[in-house]
Coordinates of all heavy atoms in Angstrom, one line a residue:
M7 N -7.5 24.1 9.9 CA -6.9 24.0 8.6 C -7.4 22.8 7.9 O -7.4 21.7 8.5 CB -5.4 24.0 8.8 CG -4.6 24.0 7.5 SD -2.8 24.1 7.7 CE -2.4 22.4 7.7
A8 N -7.9 22.9 6.7 CA -8.4 21.8 5.9 C -7.2 20.9 5.5 O -6.1 21.4 5.1 CB -9.1 22.3 4.7
T9 N -7.5 19.6 5.6 CA -6.4 18.6 5.1 C -6.6 18.4 3.6 O -7.7 18.2 3.1 CB -6.6 17.3 5.9 OG1 -6.7 17.6 7.3 CG2 -5.4 16.4 5.7
K10 N -5.5 18.4 3.0 CA -5.5 18.2 1.5 C -5.9 16.8 1.2 O -5.6 15.8 1.8 CB -4.1 18.4 1.0 CG -4.0 18.4 -0.5 CD -2.5 18.7 -0.9 CE -2.3 18.6 -2.4 NZ -2.7 17.3 -3.0
K11 N -6.8 16.8 0.1 CA -7.3 15.4 -0.3 C -6.1 14.7 -1.0 O -5.3 15.3 -1.7 CB -8.4 15.6 -1.3 CG -9.7 16.0 -0.8 CD -10.7 16.1 -1.9 CE -12.0 16.9 -1.4 NZ -12.8 17.4 -2.5
I12 N -6.2 13.4 -0.8 CA -5.2 12.5 -1.5 C -6.1 11.5 -2.4 O -7.0 10.9 -1.8 CB -4.4 11.7 -0.5 CG1 -3.6 12.6 0.4 CG2 -3.5 10.7 -1.2 CD1 -3.0 11.9 1.6
Q13 N -5.8 11.5 -3.6 CA -6.5 10.6 -4.5 C -5.6 9.6 -5.2 O -4.5 10.1 -5.7 CB -7.2 11.4 -5.6 CG -8.4 12.3 -5.1 CD -9.1 13.0 -6.2 OE1 -8.5 13.4 -7.2 NE2 -10.4 13.0 -6.1
F14 N -6.0 8.4 -5.3 CA -5.2 7.4 -6.0 C -6.1 6.3 -6.6 O -7.2 6.2 -6.1 CB -4.0 6.8 -5.2 CG -4.4 6.3 -3.9 CD1 -4.7 4.9 -3.8 CD2 -4.5 7.1 -2.8 CE1 -5.1 4.4 -2.5 CE2 -4.9 6.6 -1.5 CZ -5.2 5.2 -1.4
T15 N -5.6 5.6 -7.5 CA -6.4 4.6 -8.2 C -6.1 3.2 -7.6 O -4.9 2.9 -7.4 CB -6.2 4.6 -9.7 OG1 -6.5 5.8 -10.2 CG2 -7.0 3.5 -10.4
V16 N -7.1 2.4 -7.3 CA -6.8 1.1 -6.8 C -7.4 0.1 -7.8 O -8.6 0.2 -8.2 CB -7.5 0.8 -5.4 CG1 -7.3 -0.6 -5.0 CG2 -6.9 1.8 -4.4
V17 N -6.6 -0.8 -8.2 CA -7.0 -1.9 -9.2 C -7.1 -3.2 -8.4 O -6.1 -3.6 -7.7 CB -6.0 -2.0 -10.3 CG1 -6.4 -3.1 -11.3 CG2 -5.8 -0.6 -11.0
E18 N -8.2 -3.8 -8.5 CA -8.4 -5.1 -7.9 C -9.2 -6.0 -8.8 O -10.3 -5.6 -9.3 CB -9.2 -5.0 -6.5 CG -9.3 -6.3 -5.8 CD -10.4 -6.3 -4.8 OE1 -11.3 -5.4 -4.8 OE2 -10.5 -7.3 -4.1
N19 N -8.7 -7.1 -9.1 CA -9.5 -8.1 -10.0 C -9.9 -7.4 -11.3 O -11.1 -7.5 -11.7 CB -10.7 -8.7 -9.3 CG -10.2 -9.6 -8.2 OD1 -9.1 -10.2 -8.2 ND2 -11.1 -9.7 -7.2
D20 N -9.0 -6.7 -12.0 CA -9.3 -6.0 -13.3 C -10.3 -4.9 -13.2 O -10.8 -4.4 -14.2 CB -9.8 -7.1 -14.3 CG -8.7 -8.0 -14.6 OD1 -7.5 -7.6 -14.6 OD2 -9.0 -9.2 -15.0
S21 N -10.8 -4.5 -12.0 CA -11.6 -3.3 -12.0 C -10.9 -2.2 -11.2 O -10.1 -2.5 -10.3 CB -13.0 -3.6 -11.3 OG -12.8 -3.8 -10.0
S22 N -11.0 -1.0 -11.6 CA -10.3 0.1 -10.9 C -11.3 1.1 -10.3 O -12.4 1.3 -10.8 CB -9.3 0.8 -11.8 OG -10.0 1.5 -12.8
E23 N -10.8 1.7 -9.2 CA -11.6 2.6 -8.5 C -10.8 3.8 -8.0 O -9.6 3.5 -7.5 CB -12.3 1.9 -7.3 CG -13.3 2.7 -6.5 CD -14.0 1.8 -5.5 OE1 -14.3 0.7 -5.8 OE2 -14.2 2.3 -4.4
L24 N -11.3 5.0 -8.1 CA -10.6 6.1 -7.5 C -10.9 6.2 -6.0 O -12.1 6.3 -5.7 CB -11.0 7.4 -8.3 CG -10.2 8.6 -7.9 CD1 -8.7 8.5 -8.4 CD2 -10.8 9.9 -8.6
V25 N -9.8 6.2 -5.2 CA -10.0 6.3 -3.8 C -9.6 7.8 -3.4 O -8.6 8.3 -3.8 CB -9.1 5.3 -3.0 CG1 -9.1 5.6 -1.5 CG2 -9.6 3.9 -3.3
E26 N -10.5 8.4 -2.6 CA -10.2 9.7 -2.1 C -10.1 9.6 -0.6 O -11.0 9.1 0.1 CB -11.3 10.7 -2.5 CG -11.0 12.1 -2.2 CD -12.0 13.0 -2.7 OE1 -12.2 13.1 -4.0 OE2 -12.8 13.6 -1.9
T27 N -9.0 10.1 0.0 CA -8.8 10.1 1.4 C -8.0 11.3 1.9 O -7.9 12.3 1.1 CB -8.1 8.8 1.8 OG1 -8.1 8.6 3.2 CG2 -6.7 8.7 1.3
H28 N -7.5 11.3 3.1 CA -6.7 12.4 3.5 C -5.6 11.9 4.4 O -5.6 10.7 4.9 CB -7.5 13.5 4.3 CG -8.2 12.9 5.5 ND1 -9.5 12.3 5.4 CD2 -7.9 12.8 6.8 CE1 -9.9 11.9 6.6 NE2 -8.9 12.2 7.4
Q29 N -4.6 12.7 4.6 CA -3.4 12.3 5.3 C -3.7 11.6 6.7 O -4.5 12.2 7.5 CB -2.4 13.4 5.5 CG -1.2 13.1 6.2 CD 0.0 13.9 5.8 OE1 -0.1 14.8 5.0 NE2 1.2 13.6 6.3
G30 N -3.2 10.5 6.9 CA -3.3 9.8 8.2 C -4.7 9.2 8.5 O -5.0 8.9 9.6
S31 N -5.5 9.1 7.4 CA -6.9 8.5 7.6 C -6.8 7.1 8.2 O -7.8 6.7 8.8 CB -7.6 8.6 6.3 OG -7.0 7.9 5.3
F32 N -5.8 6.4 7.9 CA -5.6 5.0 8.4 C -4.1 4.9 8.8 O -3.3 5.7 8.4 CB -5.8 4.0 7.3 CG -7.3 3.7 6.9 CD1 -7.9 4.6 6.1 CD2 -8.0 2.7 7.5 CE1 -9.3 4.4 5.7 CE2 -9.3 2.5 7.2 CZ -10.0 3.4 6.3
P33 N -3.8 3.9 9.7 CA -2.4 3.8 10.2 C -1.5 3.6 9.0 O -0.3 4.0 9.1 CB -2.5 2.6 11.1 CG -3.9 2.5 11.5 CD -4.7 3.0 10.4
N34 N -1.9 2.9 8.0 CA -1.1 2.7 6.8 C -2.0 2.2 5.6 O -3.2 2.0 5.8 CB 0.1 1.7 7.0 CG -0.4 0.4 7.5 OD1 -1.3 -0.2 6.9 ND2 0.1 -0.1 8.6
L35 N -1.4 2.1 4.5 CA -2.2 1.7 3.3 C -2.8 0.4 3.4 O -3.9 0.1 2.8 CB -1.3 1.8 2.0 CG -1.9 1.6 0.7 CD1 -3.1 2.5 0.4 CD2 -0.9 1.7 -0.4
M36 N -2.2 -0.6 4.0 CA -2.7 -1.9 4.2 C -4.1 -1.8 4.8 O -5.1 -2.4 4.4 CB -1.8 -2.8 5.0 CG -2.3 -4.2 5.3 SD -3.4 -4.4 6.7 CE -2.2 -4.3 8.1
Y37 N -4.2 -1.1 5.9 CA -5.5 -1.0 6.6 C -6.6 -0.3 5.7 O -7.8 -0.7 5.7 CB -5.4 -0.2 7.9 CG -4.7 -1.0 9.0 CD1 -3.4 -0.8 9.4 CD2 -5.5 -2.0 9.7 CE1 -2.8 -1.6 10.4 CE2 -4.9 -2.8 10.6 CZ -3.6 -2.6 11.0 OH -3.0 -3.4 12.0
L38 N -6.2 0.7 5.0 CA -7.1 1.4 4.1 C -7.7 0.4 3.1 O -8.9 0.3 2.8 CB -6.5 2.6 3.4 CG -7.4 3.4 2.5 CD1 -6.9 4.8 2.4 CD2 -7.4 2.8 1.1
L39 N -6.8 -0.4 2.4 CA -7.2 -1.3 1.4 C -8.0 -2.4 2.0 O -9.1 -2.8 1.4 CB -5.9 -1.9 0.7 CG -5.1 -0.9 -0.1 CD1 -3.8 -1.6 -0.6 CD2 -5.9 -0.3 -1.3
R40 N -7.6 -3.0 3.1 CA -8.3 -4.1 3.7 C -9.8 -3.7 4.1 O -10.7 -4.4 3.8 CB -7.6 -4.6 4.9 CG -8.1 -5.9 5.5 CD -7.3 -6.4 6.7 NE -7.6 -5.6 7.9 CZ -7.0 -5.8 9.0 NH1 -6.1 -6.8 9.2 NH2 -7.3 -5.1 10.1
D41 N -9.9 -2.5 4.7 CA -11.2 -2.1 5.2 C -12.1 -1.5 4.1 O -13.3 -1.7 4.1 CB -11.0 -1.0 6.3 CG -10.3 -1.5 7.6 OD1 -10.1 -2.7 7.6 OD2 -10.1 -0.7 8.5
T42 N -11.5 -0.9 3.1 CA -12.3 -0.3 2.0 C -12.7 -1.4 1.1 O -13.9 -1.3 0.6 CB -11.4 0.8 1.3 OG1 -11.0 1.7 2.2 CG2 -12.3 1.4 0.2
F43 N -11.9 -2.4 0.8 CA -12.2 -3.4 -0.2 C -12.6 -4.7 0.4 O -12.8 -5.7 -0.3 CB -11.1 -3.5 -1.2 CG -10.9 -2.3 -2.0 CD1 -10.0 -1.3 -1.6 CD2 -11.6 -2.1 -3.2 CE1 -9.8 -0.1 -2.3 CE2 -11.4 -0.9 -3.9 CZ -10.5 0.1 -3.5
G44 N -12.7 -4.8 1.7 CA -13.1 -6.1 2.4 C -12.2 -7.2 2.1 O -12.7 -8.3 1.7
L45 N -10.9 -7.1 2.1 CA -10.0 -8.1 1.7 C -9.7 -9.1 2.8 O -9.1 -8.8 3.8 CB -8.7 -7.5 1.3 CG -8.8 -6.4 0.2 CD1 -7.4 -5.7 -0.1 CD2 -9.3 -7.0 -1.1
D46 N -10.2 -10.3 2.7 CA -9.9 -11.4 3.6 C -8.4 -11.8 3.5 O -7.9 -12.0 2.5 CB -10.8 -12.6 3.4 CG -12.2 -12.3 3.8 OD1 -12.4 -11.4 4.7 OD2 -13.1 -13.0 3.3
G47 N -7.8 -12.0 4.7 CA -6.4 -12.6 4.7 C -5.4 -11.6 4.3 O -4.3 -11.9 4.0
F48 N -5.8 -10.3 4.1 CA -4.8 -9.3 3.7 C -4.3 -8.6 5.0 O -5.0 -8.2 5.8 CB -5.6 -8.2 2.9 CG -4.8 -7.3 2.1 CD1 -4.2 -7.7 0.9 CD2 -4.6 -6.0 2.5 CE1 -3.4 -6.8 0.2 CE2 -3.9 -5.1 1.8 CZ -3.3 -5.5 0.6
G49 N -2.9 -8.6 5.1 CA -2.3 -8.0 6.2 C -2.3 -8.8 7.5 O -2.6 -8.3 8.6
E50 N -2.0 -10.1 7.4 CA -2.1 -11.0 8.5 C -1.2 -10.7 9.7 O -1.6 -11.0 10.8 CB -1.9 -12.4 8.0 CG -3.1 -13.0 7.3 CD -2.9 -14.4 6.9 OE1 -1.8 -15.0 7.0 OE2 -3.9 -15.0 6.4
C51 N 0.0 -10.1 9.5 CA 0.8 -9.8 10.6 C 0.5 -8.5 11.3 O 1.2 -8.1 12.2 CB 2.3 -9.8 10.2 SG 2.9 -8.4 9.3
G52 N -0.5 -7.8 10.8 CA -1.0 -6.6 11.4 C -0.1 -5.4 11.1 O -0.2 -4.4 11.8
G53 N 0.7 -5.5 10.1 CA 1.5 -4.3 9.6 C 2.9 -4.3 10.1 O 3.6 -3.3 10.1
V54 N 3.4 -5.4 10.6 CA 4.8 -5.5 11.1 C 5.8 -5.6 9.9 O 7.0 -5.2 10.1 CB 5.0 -6.7 12.0 CG1 6.4 -6.8 12.5 CG2 4.0 -6.6 13.2
G55 N 5.3 -6.0 8.8 CA 6.2 -6.1 7.6 C 6.9 -7.4 7.5 O 8.0 -7.5 6.9
R56 N 6.3 -8.4 8.0 CA 6.9 -9.8 8.0 C 6.1 -10.8 7.2 O 6.7 -11.8 6.7 CB 7.0 -10.3 9.4 CG 7.9 -9.6 10.3 CD 9.4 -9.9 10.0 NE 10.3 -9.3 10.9 CZ 11.5 -9.1 10.7 NH1 12.0 -9.3 9.5 NH2 12.3 -8.5 11.6
C57 N 4.8 -10.7 7.0 CA 4.0 -11.8 6.4 C 3.9 -11.7 4.9 O 3.6 -12.7 4.2 CB 2.6 -11.8 7.0 SG 1.6 -10.4 6.5
A58 N 4.0 -10.5 4.3 CA 3.9 -10.3 2.9 C 2.5 -10.7 2.3 O 2.4 -11.0 1.2 CB 5.0 -11.0 2.1
T59 N 1.5 -10.6 3.2 CA 0.1 -10.9 2.7 C -0.6 -9.5 2.3 O -1.8 -9.5 2.1 CB -0.7 -11.6 3.7 OG1 -0.9 -10.8 4.9 CG2 -0.1 -12.9 4.1
C60 N 0.2 -8.5 2.3 CA -0.4 -7.2 1.9 C 0.3 -6.6 0.7 O 0.4 -5.4 0.5 CB -0.2 -6.2 3.1 SG 1.5 -5.8 3.4
L61 N 0.6 -7.5 -0.2 CA 1.4 -7.1 -1.4 C 0.6 -6.3 -2.4 O -0.5 -6.6 -2.7 CB 1.9 -8.4 -2.2 CG 3.2 -9.1 -1.8 CD1 3.4 -10.3 -2.7 CD2 4.3 -8.2 -1.8
I62 N 1.3 -5.3 -2.9 CA 0.7 -4.5 -4.0 C 1.7 -4.2 -5.0 O 2.9 -4.3 -4.8 CB 0.2 -3.1 -3.4 CG1 1.3 -2.4 -2.7 CG2 -1.0 -3.3 -2.5 CD1 1.0 -0.9 -2.4
N63 N 1.3 -3.7 -6.2 CA 2.1 -3.1 -7.1 C 1.8 -1.6 -7.1 O 0.6 -1.2 -7.1 CB 1.9 -3.6 -8.6 CG 2.9 -3.1 -9.5 OD1 4.0 -3.5 -9.5 ND2 2.5 -2.2 -10.4
A64 N 2.8 -0.8 -6.9 CA 2.6 0.7 -6.7 C 3.3 1.4 -7.8 O 4.6 1.4 -7.9 CB 3.0 1.1 -5.3
E65 N 2.6 2.1 -8.6 CA 3.2 3.0 -9.7 C 2.9 4.4 -9.4 O 1.7 4.7 -9.0 CB 2.6 2.6 -11.1 CG 2.8 1.2 -11.5 CD 4.2 0.9 -12.0 OE1 5.0 1.8 -12.2 OE2 4.5 -0.3 -12.2
G66 N 3.8 5.3 -9.5 CA 3.6 6.7 -9.4 C 3.8 7.3 -8.0 O 3.3 8.4 -7.7
L67 N 4.4 6.5 -7.1 CA 4.7 7.0 -5.7 C 5.7 8.2 -5.8 O 6.5 8.1 -6.7 CB 5.2 5.9 -4.8 CG 4.3 4.8 -4.5 CD1 5.0 3.8 -3.6 CD2 3.0 5.3 -3.8
T68 N 5.7 9.1 -4.9 CA 6.7 10.1 -4.8 C 7.3 10.2 -3.4 O 6.8 9.5 -2.5 CB 6.0 11.5 -5.2 OG1 5.0 11.8 -4.3 CG2 5.5 11.5 -6.6
G69 N 8.3 11.0 -3.3 CA 8.8 11.4 -2.0 C 9.4 10.1 -1.3 O 9.9 9.2 -1.9
N70 N 9.4 10.2 0.1 CA 10.0 9.1 0.9 C 9.3 7.8 0.7 O 9.9 6.7 1.0 CB 9.9 9.5 2.3 CG 10.9 10.6 2.7 OD1 11.9 10.8 2.0 ND2 10.7 11.2 3.8
S71 N 8.1 7.8 0.1 CA 7.4 6.5 -0.1 C 8.0 5.7 -1.2 O 7.7 4.5 -1.3 CB 5.9 6.8 -0.5 OG 5.2 7.4 0.6
T72 N 8.9 6.2 -1.9 CA 9.6 5.4 -2.9 C 10.7 4.5 -2.3 O 11.2 3.6 -2.9 CB 10.3 6.3 -4.0 OG1 11.2 7.2 -3.4 CG2 9.3 7.1 -4.7
L73 N 11.0 4.8 -1.0 CA 12.1 4.1 -0.3 C 11.5 2.9 0.4 O 10.5 3.0 1.1 CB 12.8 5.0 0.7 CG 13.4 6.3 0.1 CD1 13.9 7.2 1.2 CD2 14.4 6.0 -1.0
K74 N 12.2 1.8 0.3 CA 11.8 0.6 1.1 C 12.7 0.6 2.3 O 13.9 0.5 2.3 CB 12.0 -0.7 0.3 CG 11.2 -0.7 -1.0 CD 11.4 -2.0 -1.8 CE 10.6 -1.9 -3.1 NZ 10.8 -3.1 -3.9
E75 N 12.0 0.7 3.5 CA 12.7 0.8 4.7 C 12.2 -0.2 5.7 O 11.3 -1.0 5.5 CB 12.5 2.2 5.3 CG 13.1 3.3 4.4 CD 12.9 4.7 4.9 OE1 11.7 5.0 5.2 OE2 13.9 5.4 4.9
R76 N 12.7 -0.2 6.9 CA 12.4 -1.1 8.0 C 12.4 -2.5 7.6 O 13.4 -2.9 7.0 CB 11.0 -0.7 8.6 CG 11.0 0.8 9.1 CD 9.6 1.1 9.7 NE 8.6 1.2 8.6 CZ 8.3 2.2 7.8 NH1 9.0 3.3 8.0 NH2 7.4 2.2 6.9
N77 N 11.4 -3.3 7.8 CA 11.4 -4.7 7.4 C 11.1 -5.0 6.0 O 11.3 -6.1 5.5 CB 10.4 -5.5 8.2 CG 10.8 -5.6 9.7 OD1 11.9 -5.6 10.1 ND2 9.7 -5.7 10.6
E78 N 10.7 -4.0 5.2 CA 10.2 -4.2 3.9 C 11.2 -4.9 2.9 O 10.9 -5.9 2.3 CB 9.6 -2.9 3.3 CG 8.9 -3.2 2.0 CD 8.3 -1.9 1.4 OE1 8.6 -0.8 1.9 OE2 7.4 -2.1 0.5
P79 N 12.4 -4.3 2.8 CA 13.3 -4.9 1.8 C 13.7 -6.4 2.1 O 13.7 -7.2 1.2 CB 14.6 -4.0 1.9 CG 14.3 -2.9 2.8 CD 13.0 -3.1 3.5
A80 N 13.9 -6.7 3.4 CA 14.3 -8.1 3.7 C 13.1 -9.0 3.5 O 13.3 -10.1 2.9 CB 14.7 -8.1 5.2
T81 N 11.9 -8.6 3.8 CA 10.7 -9.5 3.6 C 10.5 -9.7 2.1 O 10.3 -10.9 1.7 CB 9.5 -8.9 4.3 OG1 9.8 -8.8 5.7 CG2 8.3 -9.8 4.0
L82 N 10.6 -8.7 1.3 CA 10.3 -8.8 -0.1 C 11.4 -9.7 -0.7 O 11.1 -10.6 -1.6 CB 10.3 -7.5 -0.8 CG 9.1 -6.6 -0.5 CD1 9.2 -5.2 -1.0 CD2 7.8 -7.2 -1.1
L83 N 12.6 -9.5 -0.3 CA 13.7 -10.3 -0.9 C 13.5 -11.8 -0.5 O 13.7 -12.7 -1.3 CB 15.1 -9.8 -0.4 CG 16.3 -10.3 -1.1 CD1 16.2 -9.8 -2.6 CD2 17.5 -9.7 -0.5
K84 N 13.2 -12.0 0.7 CA 13.0 -13.4 1.2 C 11.9 -14.1 0.4 O 11.9 -15.3 0.2 CB 12.6 -13.4 2.7 CG 12.6 -14.7 3.4 CD 12.4 -14.5 4.9 CE 10.9 -14.1 5.2 NZ 10.7 -13.9 6.6
M85 N 10.8 -13.3 0.0 CA 9.7 -13.9 -0.7 C 10.0 -14.0 -2.2 O 9.2 -14.4 -3.0 CB 8.5 -13.1 -0.5 CG 8.0 -13.0 0.9 SD 7.4 -14.6 1.5 CE 6.8 -14.1 3.1
G86 N 11.2 -13.4 -2.7 CA 11.6 -13.5 -4.1 C 11.0 -12.3 -4.9 O 11.0 -12.4 -6.1
Y87 N 10.5 -11.3 -4.3 CA 10.0 -10.1 -5.1 C 11.1 -9.1 -5.2 O 11.6 -8.5 -4.2 CB 8.8 -9.5 -4.4 CG 7.7 -10.5 -4.3 CD1 7.3 -11.0 -3.0 CD2 6.9 -10.9 -5.4 CE1 6.2 -11.9 -2.9 CE2 5.9 -11.7 -5.3 CZ 5.5 -12.2 -4.0 OH 4.5 -13.1 -3.9
Q88 N 11.6 -8.8 -6.4 CA 12.7 -7.9 -6.6 C 12.3 -6.6 -7.4 O 13.1 -5.7 -7.4 CB 13.8 -8.6 -7.4 CG 14.3 -9.8 -6.6 CD 15.5 -10.5 -7.2 OE1 15.8 -10.2 -8.4 NE2 16.2 -11.3 -6.5
E89 N 11.1 -6.6 -7.9 CA 10.7 -5.4 -8.7 C 10.6 -4.2 -7.8 O 10.0 -4.3 -6.7 CB 9.4 -5.6 -9.4 CG 9.4 -6.8 -10.4 CD 9.2 -8.1 -9.7 OE1 8.9 -8.2 -8.5 OE2 9.4 -9.2 -10.4
Q90 N 11.0 -3.1 -8.2 CA 10.9 -1.8 -7.4 C 9.5 -1.5 -7.1 O 9.2 -1.0 -6.0 CB 11.6 -0.7 -8.2 CG 11.5 0.7 -7.5 CD 12.2 0.7 -6.1 OE1 13.1 -0.1 -5.9 NE2 11.7 1.5 -5.2
S91 N 8.6 -1.8 -8.0 CA 7.2 -1.4 -7.8 C 6.4 -2.4 -6.9 O 5.3 -2.1 -6.5 CB 6.4 -1.3 -9.1 OG 6.5 -2.5 -9.8
T92 N 7.0 -3.5 -6.6 CA 6.3 -4.4 -5.7 C 6.5 -4.0 -4.2 O 7.7 -3.9 -3.8 CB 6.8 -5.9 -5.8 OG1 6.6 -6.2 -7.2 CG2 6.1 -6.9 -5.0
R93 N 5.5 -3.8 -3.5 CA 5.6 -3.2 -2.1 C 4.7 -3.9 -1.1 O 3.7 -4.6 -1.5 CB 5.2 -1.7 -2.2 CG 5.9 -0.9 -3.2 CD 7.4 -0.7 -2.8 NE 7.6 -0.2 -1.5 CZ 7.8 1.1 -1.2 NH1 7.8 2.0 -2.2 NH2 8.0 1.5 0.0
L94 N 5.1 -3.7 0.1 CA 4.2 -4.1 1.2 C 3.4 -2.9 1.6 O 3.9 -1.9 2.0 CB 5.0 -4.5 2.5 CG 6.0 -5.7 2.3 CD1 6.8 -5.9 3.6 CD2 5.3 -7.0 1.9
S95 N 2.1 -3.0 1.4 CA 1.2 -1.9 1.6 C 1.2 -1.4 3.1 O 1.0 -0.2 3.3 CB -0.2 -2.1 1.1 OG -0.8 -3.2 1.8
C96 N 1.6 -2.3 4.0 CA 1.6 -1.9 5.4 C 2.8 -0.9 5.7 O 2.8 -0.3 6.8 CB 1.6 -3.1 6.3 SG 3.2 -4.0 6.2
Q97 N 3.7 -0.9 4.8 CA 4.9 0.0 5.0 C 4.7 1.4 4.3 O 5.7 2.1 4.3 CB 6.1 -0.7 4.6 CG 6.4 -2.0 5.2 CD 6.5 -1.9 6.7 OE1 7.4 -1.2 7.2 NE2 5.7 -2.5 7.5
L98 N 3.5 1.6 3.8 CA 3.3 2.9 3.2 C 2.3 3.7 4.0 O 1.2 3.1 4.2 CB 2.8 2.7 1.7 CG 3.8 2.1 0.8 CD1 3.1 1.7 -0.5 CD2 4.9 3.1 0.5
Y99 N 2.6 4.9 4.4 CA 1.7 5.7 5.1 C 0.8 6.5 4.2 O 1.1 6.6 3.0 CB 2.5 6.7 6.0 CG 3.3 6.0 7.0 CD1 4.7 6.1 7.0 CD2 2.7 5.2 8.0 CE1 5.4 5.5 8.0 CE2 3.5 4.6 9.0 CZ 4.8 4.7 9.0 OH 5.6 4.1 9.9
I100 N -0.4 6.9 4.7 CA -1.3 7.7 3.9 C -0.8 9.1 3.9 O -1.1 9.9 4.8 CB -2.7 7.6 4.4 CG1 -3.2 6.2 4.7 CG2 -3.7 8.3 3.5 CD1 -3.2 5.3 3.5
T101 N 0.0 9.5 2.9 CA 0.5 10.8 2.8 C 0.3 11.3 1.3 O -0.1 10.5 0.4 CB 2.0 10.8 3.0 OG1 2.7 10.1 1.9 CG2 2.4 10.1 4.3
P102 N 0.6 12.6 1.1 CA 0.5 13.1 -0.3 C 1.4 12.3 -1.3 O 1.2 12.5 -2.5 CB 0.9 14.5 -0.2 CG 0.5 14.9 1.2 CD 0.8 13.7 2.0
D103 N 2.4 11.5 -0.8 CA 3.2 10.7 -1.7 C 2.3 9.8 -2.6 O 2.8 9.3 -3.6 CB 4.2 9.9 -0.9 CG 5.3 10.7 -0.3 OD1 5.3 11.9 -0.4 OD2 6.1 10.1 0.5
L104 N 1.1 9.4 -2.1 CA 0.3 8.5 -2.8 C -0.6 9.2 -3.8 O -1.2 8.5 -4.7 CB -0.7 7.8 -1.8 CG -0.1 6.8 -0.8 CD1 -1.2 6.4 0.2 CD2 0.5 5.6 -1.5
D105 N -0.6 10.5 -3.8 CA -1.5 11.3 -4.7 C -1.2 11.0 -6.2 O 0.0 11.2 -6.6 CB -1.4 12.8 -4.4 CG -2.7 13.5 -4.8 OD1 -3.8 13.0 -4.6 OD2 -2.5 14.6 -5.4
G106 N -2.2 10.5 -6.9 CA -2.0 10.2 -8.3 C -1.4 8.9 -8.6 O -1.2 8.5 -9.8
A107 N -1.1 8.1 -7.6 CA -0.5 6.8 -7.8 C -1.6 5.7 -8.3 O -2.8 6.0 -8.2 CB 0.1 6.3 -6.5
T108 N -1.1 4.7 -8.8 CA -1.9 3.5 -9.1 C -1.5 2.3 -8.3 O -0.3 1.9 -8.4 CB -1.9 3.2 -10.6 OG1 -2.3 4.3 -11.4 CG2 -2.7 2.0 -10.9
I109 N -2.4 1.8 -7.5 CA -2.1 0.7 -6.6 C -2.8 -0.5 -7.0 O -4.1 -0.5 -7.1 CB -2.6 1.1 -5.1 CG1 -2.0 2.4 -4.6 CG2 -2.3 -0.1 -4.2 CD1 -0.5 2.4 -4.5
T110 N -2.1 -1.5 -7.4 CA -2.8 -2.8 -7.8 C -2.6 -3.8 -6.7 O -1.5 -4.1 -6.3 CB -2.1 -3.3 -9.1 OG1 -2.2 -2.3 -10.1 CG2 -2.8 -4.6 -9.6
I111 N -3.7 -4.4 -6.2 CA -3.7 -5.4 -5.2 C -3.3 -6.7 -5.9 O -3.9 -7.2 -6.8 CB -5.0 -5.5 -4.5 CG1 -5.4 -4.2 -3.8 CG2 -5.1 -6.7 -3.5 CD1 -6.8 -4.1 -3.3
L112 N -2.2 -7.3 -5.4 CA -1.7 -8.5 -6.0 C -2.3 -9.8 -5.4 O -2.4 -9.9 -4.2 CB -0.2 -8.6 -5.9 CG 0.6 -7.4 -6.6 CD1 2.1 -7.6 -6.3 CD2 0.3 -7.4 -8.1
D113 N -2.7 -10.7 -6.3 CA -3.2 -12.0 -5.8 C -2.1 -12.8 -5.2 O -1.0 -12.8 -5.7 CB -3.8 -12.8 -6.9 CG -5.2 -12.5 -7.2 OD1 -5.9 -11.9 -6.2 OD2 -5.7 -12.7 -8.3
L114 N -2.4 -13.4 -4.1 CA -1.3 -14.2 -3.4 C -1.4 -15.6 -3.8 O -2.4 -16.1 -4.2 CB -1.4 -14.1 -1.9 CG -1.3 -12.6 -1.4 CD1 -1.5 -12.6 0.1 CD2 0.0 -12.1 -1.7
Ligands
LIG211 S1 0.7 -6.8 6.9 FE1 2.2 -8.3 7.1 S2 3.8 -7.6 5.8 FE2 2.3 -6.1 5.6

């Protein structure tokens, strides 16, 4: 069975790129962004949801990906980020929920 393509836009330093992937291609969005865009210092805790070095702005998410779960809400609150669209990319899985979204990598 063919896996459905997932496409979303990634904005980094004022340039945007359409990323095409498929479900489960990386353990989570942090790894996809770090490996695809060569981001140094991105995702320092390895995806535990504690360091907040994997911050993104995510617009257009759907499904369960709109929910902040596990360590994400507490870590974002501790760092002073309250906007709904500010997310830890390590807490987002590569699922069709990302299809059509716009992901902006935030400068730390
Ligand atoms: S990698 Fe540390 S919070 Fe996401």
